[in-house]
């Protein structure tokens, strides 16, 4: 059984997934930050086991929500869980009155986000040495 839970704090399940994917697999050092304290955190569970996570926050009073730290554990990749968690967060943002969702995509993942309706804006930039691009989606 599949379930997405939304938390107003950073739960241990999300910490574990982000540490595994971003720090252990990809080598990022600056994974946790003050934004975690003001974000909604989504965790997708399969049969009670945390498999994917993402966070969402707004900086402009809710006109737009920024989605980030989207991570799926290796054993669950290519099964549509990333799409499901993104779809759930965009729906939640729209219900909250947002006009757009935005994100900072790793360039290697930009096609994934494009398939979900996000379009590239601006130039490629580095975050901890990894190329990223800003993307946004009208809701």
């Amino acid at each position: 059984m599949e379930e997405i839970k939304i938390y107003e704090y950073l739960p241990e399940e999300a910490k574990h997934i982000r540490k595994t994917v971003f720090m252990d697999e990809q080598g990022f050092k600056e994974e946790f930050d003050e934004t975690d304290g003001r974000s909604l955190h989504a965790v997708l569970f399969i049969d009670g086991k945390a498999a994917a996570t993402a966070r969402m926050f707004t900086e402009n009073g809710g006109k737009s929500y920024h989605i980030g730290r989207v991570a799926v554990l290796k054993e669950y990749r290519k099964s549509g869980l990333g799409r499901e968690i993104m779809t759930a967060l965009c729906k939640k943002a729209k219900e909250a009155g947002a006009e757009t969702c935005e994100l900072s995509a790793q360039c290697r993942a930009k096609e994934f986000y494009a398939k979900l309706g996000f379009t590239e804006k601006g130039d490629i930039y580095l975050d901890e040495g990894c190329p990223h691009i800003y993307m946004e989606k009208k809701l």
Side-chain angles (χ1 to χ4, degrees):
M1 188 181 104
E2 205 172 287
E3 177 184 22
I4 295 176
K5 292 183 183 178
I6 307 284
Y7 300 85
E8 292 185 1
Y9 60 91
L10 179 60
E12 288 302 317
E13 295 90 346
K15 284 183 192 176
H16 170 74
I17 293 169
R18 285 170 50 184
K19 180 186 178 305
T20 300
V21 172
F22 295 121
M23 298 177 85
D24 299 345
E25 290 178 21
Q26 297 180 9
F28 285 93
K29 306 279 186 256
E30 309 288 324
E31 176 51 30
F32 302 100
D33 59 26
E34 69 284 345
T35 303
D36 283 323
R38 58 186 172 86
S39 296
L40 292 176
H41 299 270
V43 179
L44 189 152
F45 294 88
I46 294 182
D47 296 325
K49 184 176 184 332
T53 190
R55 73 178 184 187
M56 180 173 79
F57 60 93
T58 185
E59 294 179 300
N60 57 14
K63 182 179 173 190
S64 179
Y65 276 82
H66 187 95
I67 298 174
R69 304 304 206 264
V70 180
V72 179
L73 290 175
K74 190 179 284 184
E75 60 266 34
Y76 295 103
R77 290 182 195 147
K78 305 290 186 208
S79 59
L81 301 186
R83 180 186 71 245
E84 286 185 43
I85 208 161
M86 287 295 299
T87 300
L89 286 177
C90 287
K91 181 179 180 214
K92 186 148 186 75
K94 186 172 184 172
E95 288 169 357
E99 297 170 13
T100 59
C101 278
E102 59 189 33
L103 51 84
S104 174
Q106 290 184 16
C107 287
R108 62 181 189 76
K110 68 183 182 178
E111 296 307 317
F112 164 75
Y113 295 111
K115 288 177 186 171
L116 296 173
F118 286 82
T119 55
E120 296 177 33
K121 306 277 185 191
D123 297 321
I124 293 172
Y125 55 93
L126 296 179
D127 183 349
E128 286 197 55
C130 179
H132 282 67
I133 184 91
Y134 174 83
M135 299 181 82
E136 117 181 337
K137 175 183 180 173
K138 300 256 185 273
L139 298 176

